[in-house]
Amino acid sequence: NSFGTTFMIAAIAAPLTAAIGLVTAYLLTRHNFTGKNAFEFGTMLSFAIPGTVIGVSYILAFNVPPIEITGTGIILVVSFIFRNMPVGVRSGVAAMAQIDKSLDESSMTLGANSFHTFRKIVLPLLRPAILAALVFSFVRSMTAISAVIFLVSAEYDMATSYIIGRVENNDYGLAIAYSTTLIFLMLTVIILLQLIVGKTVTTRRDAAAGVA
């Protein structure tokens, strides 16, 4: 059961992590608002805090009403999203820094709103950042151990905690087989993500005209 649970939670957390990270990066690079620096600093805090501290904090925060999700799969998804989101934010910021703001301005001048501009103009140029965020968040969700140890339950057990349990019981053969299966699964998913997301292909207008 831990294998299916791990894959399901990672498959849910990875796209959400990439989406939230890239939207946050778009806000940080394309908009000015009060508290922008504090907001950007806050998005990076989850990398500075040890995973064990995050795990214990989530238990204390979400073990009582009104948000009582300890022992469910939701708390694992939430943990992975905010734990891995800084990578999506920084990769998005780096990618958007290479995209001229005149593209956004031209789109808005022609009548498009911010959402349409992001979806039609910016997003297609962010494929490398999207792929990096998806791959990192998926692999980290499949192999995370520090915070997960405190958040798993009998119903929602993760692969890493199961492997540690097998090793503690001296069942090394099963632990190695399980780990090998996870490696091949992650490689397969990474290849599929590369095929789905694709690569950004850009050409110079003058070069294309010269060839014509």
Side-chain angles (χ1 to χ4, degrees), residues 77-149:
V77 173
V78 172
S79 173
F80 290 145
I81 289 175
F82 290 99
R83 180 66 170 168
N84 302 325
M85 187 181 68
V87 173
V89 173
R90 299 321 303 175
S91 61
V93 169
M96 289 183 190
Q98 303 177 39
I99 302 175
D100 199 324
K101 290 184 179 180
S102 61
L103 293 175
D104 299 21
E105 296 170 355
S106 300
S107 176
M108 293 182 181
T109 301
L110 294 173
N113 55 29
S114 297
F115 175 76
H116 189 78
T117 300
F118 177 76
R119 186 168 62 91
K120 290 292 186 179
I121 305 298
V122 178
L123 199 60
L125 298 175
L126 293 179
R127 289 181 178 177
I130 294 173
L131 180 62
L134 284 173
V135 169
F136 179 84
S137 57
F138 180 81
V139 172
R140 287 281 296 176
S141 298
M142 293 288 292
T143 59
I145 185 62
S146 55
V148 167
I149 286 293

Side-chain angles (χ1 to χ4, degrees), residues 54 117 155 159 162 180 185 196 200-201:
I54 292 179
T117 300
E155 184 178 359
Y162 181 82
T180 305
L185 174 64
I196 293 172
T200 301
V201 179

